[in-house]
Amino acid sequence: MKYIILLLIIITLVSCSGTKRITENTSKDIKQIEPVKVDEEVVNQERDTVIPEKNNVVKEIKEASEKIKPIKTFNHSSWNNLLQKHVSDEGHVNYKNFKSDRKELTNYITYLGAHTPQGSWTKEDKLAYWINAYNAMTIDLILRHYPINSIKDINKPWEQRFWKLDEKWYNLNEIEHQILRKMKEPRIHFAIVCASFSCPKLQNKAFIPSNIDDQLTNATEEFLADKKRNYISQNSLNLSKIFQWFAKDFKQTGSLIDFLNQYSEITISNKAKKNFKDYNWSLNE
């Protein structure tokens, strides 16, 4: 037993000695590891190189985004020039001469297609855009088939999809009924023109956002005062079929007579008798 106890003491002493040697060696190894020296000059050079490059990239991205940023409004001057050149003050269109400027008309419609209305546009911007688009496309439709005697000589004229705006192909029906009429502005019916005698006259100036309210009022007053298209007296009305076809549009805030009295030189009685003229689809030339 005595020998066993002595053996255990010897083993314990040997183990403690080994542990001490390991600890001492590890401490020596740790002391021998030198800290890494950072070359501040190199770091500064890298920083000075990277930051300008980053700034240049940000600048290029900003410039590119500004280039593709949608325009807030639309310049209709090229359409205005064509109207001034080929449409008389009475609204007669010289289609024969207009054909010589077909390229300019096509360019204008292409420009329309590249800059469709955005959410930031005002109602006035959108009205001017779609009214001018409708009229330009109507002229283009006629020129595609000219000479003709009437727009109705064309097969389903208001359903033809010849014009691409952004990624969509449009027809005249869609612009009139799905876009313009939904804007709740009844005076559009005296601004858009179907290339026919009984239509309101084609204005020989483009509609522009800054003046569109006055332009729409003027077009409405001119149409009502034109005795070839409307006859108005206090107690009798012989009106364009436009007022029959689109009766709902003119009754948004009252009766048809309420609407007419806003733009007629004659005060019409609420009891006035109404009749509607036959529509003459002869070409407006």
Side-chain angles (χ1 to χ4, degrees):
M1 184 69 179
K2 205 190 298 184
Y3 295 108
I4 292 173
I5 293 171
L6 184 61
L7 181 60
L8 289 172
I9 291 170
I10 292 171
I11 291 172
T12 301
L13 289 173
V14 171
S15 298
C16 290
S17 175
T19 302
K20 182 179 180 181
R21 283 198 302 273
I22 291 171
T23 304
E24 288 175 350
N25 290 339
T26 303
S27 299
K28 287 179 182 179
D29 291 339
I30 292 172
K31 288 178 183 178
Q32 289 173 0
I33 298 174
E34 295 183 0
V36 176
K37 291 182 179 181
V38 177
D39 191 332
E40 293 184 2
E41 184 176 350
V42 172
V43 171
N44 290 336
Q45 288 177 351
E46 291 293 330
R47 182 195 61 197
D48 293 340
T49 301
V50 170
I51 291 177
E53 288 180 356
K54 179 181 178 182
N55 290 339
N56 288 336
V57 171
V58 171
K59 183 180 178 183
E60 289 174 4
I61 292 172
K62 184 178 179 182
E63 288 175 351
S65 66
E66 288 176 350
K67 287 179 182 178
I68 63 174
K69 192 186 220 177
I71 59 175
K72 291 184 178 180
T73 188
F74 193 95
N75 187 338
H76 297 282
S77 59
S78 61
W79 173 235
N80 187 76
N81 292 337
L82 288 170
L83 291 170
Q84 288 280 290
K85 189 174 179 181
H86 301 295
V87 182
S88 72
D89 290 340
E90 293 75 30
H92 301 301
V93 183
N94 189 333
Y95 290 104
K96 184 177 179 180
N97 287 345
F98 217 130
K99 287 192 76 170
S100 65
D101 282 331
R102 181 78 187 284
K103 183 177 180 181
E104 285 73 11
L105 177 60
T106 301
N107 288 342
Y108 172 68
I109 295 173
T110 300
Y111 187 52
L112 287 168
H115 301 90
T116 51
Q118 305 298 314
S120 61
W121 288 27
T122 64
K123 181 179 180 180
E124 291 75 18
D125 289 320
K126 293 173 183 176
L127 277 169
Y129 177 96
W130 288 113
I131 290 171
N132 290 327
Y134 185 96
N135 289 338
M137 292 173 185
T138 300
I139 295 292
D140 184 63
L141 178 68
I142 299 300
L143 294 181
R144 288 170 181 265
H145 299 85
Y146 193 80
I148 53 176
N149 296 316
S150 168
I151 191 171
K152 285 200 163 186
D153 292 341
I154 302 169
N155 182 42
K156 297 182 179 179
W158 296 283
E159 296 178 27
Q160 300 296 325
R161 292 186 183 275
F162 289 124
W163 310 282
K164 188 178 183 183
L165 305 179
D166 196 10
E167 295 301 317
K168 183 175 179 179
W169 292 90
Y170 284 84
N171 62 32
L172 295 173
N173 264 344
E174 189 165 14
I175 294 174
E176 179 178 9
H177 301 295
Q178 300 302 317
I179 298 174
L180 281 169
R181 291 184 66 196
K182 288 187 175 181
M183 296 179 77
K184 304 298 183 183
E185 174 50 80
R187 293 175 297 174
I188 59 105
H189 293 294
F190 315 110
I192 57 175
V193 180
C194 60
S196 302
F197 177 83
S198 287
C199 287
K201 78 175 192 181
L202 177 61
Q203 302 289 326
N204 61 0
K205 291 182 180 178
F207 286 85
I208 57 174
S210 61
N211 196 37
I212 194 165
D213 186 63
D214 288 341
Q215 288 179 301
L216 289 172
T217 294
N218 180 66
T220 305
E221 291 174 346
E222 282 188 340
F223 186 64
L224 288 178
D226 186 348
K227 290 182 172 55
K228 294 178 181 177
R229 293 165 177 83
N230 297 280
Y231 175 79
I232 295 175
S233 69
Q234 183 179 357
N235 297 304
S236 180
L237 300 171
N238 196 15
L239 301 173
S240 165
K241 275 192 179 291
I242 288 173
F243 293 106
Q244 185 179 41
W245 292 334
F246 305 108
K248 182 180 177 181
D249 295 2
F250 301 110
K251 298 177 181 178
Q252 296 178 37
T253 58
S255 67
L256 172 59
I257 290 176
D258 290 334
F259 175 84
L260 296 174
N261 275 329
Q262 294 180 69
Y263 305 101
S264 172
E265 294 177 350
I266 299 169
T267 302
I268 307 164
S269 168
N270 287 325
K271 296 180 180 180
K273 294 181 180 180
K274 295 188 289 288
N275 290 295
F276 298 97
K277 289 176 172 283
D278 291 333
Y279 213 79
N280 183 347
W281 291 100
S282 299
L283 205 62
N284 60 340
E285 60 180 346

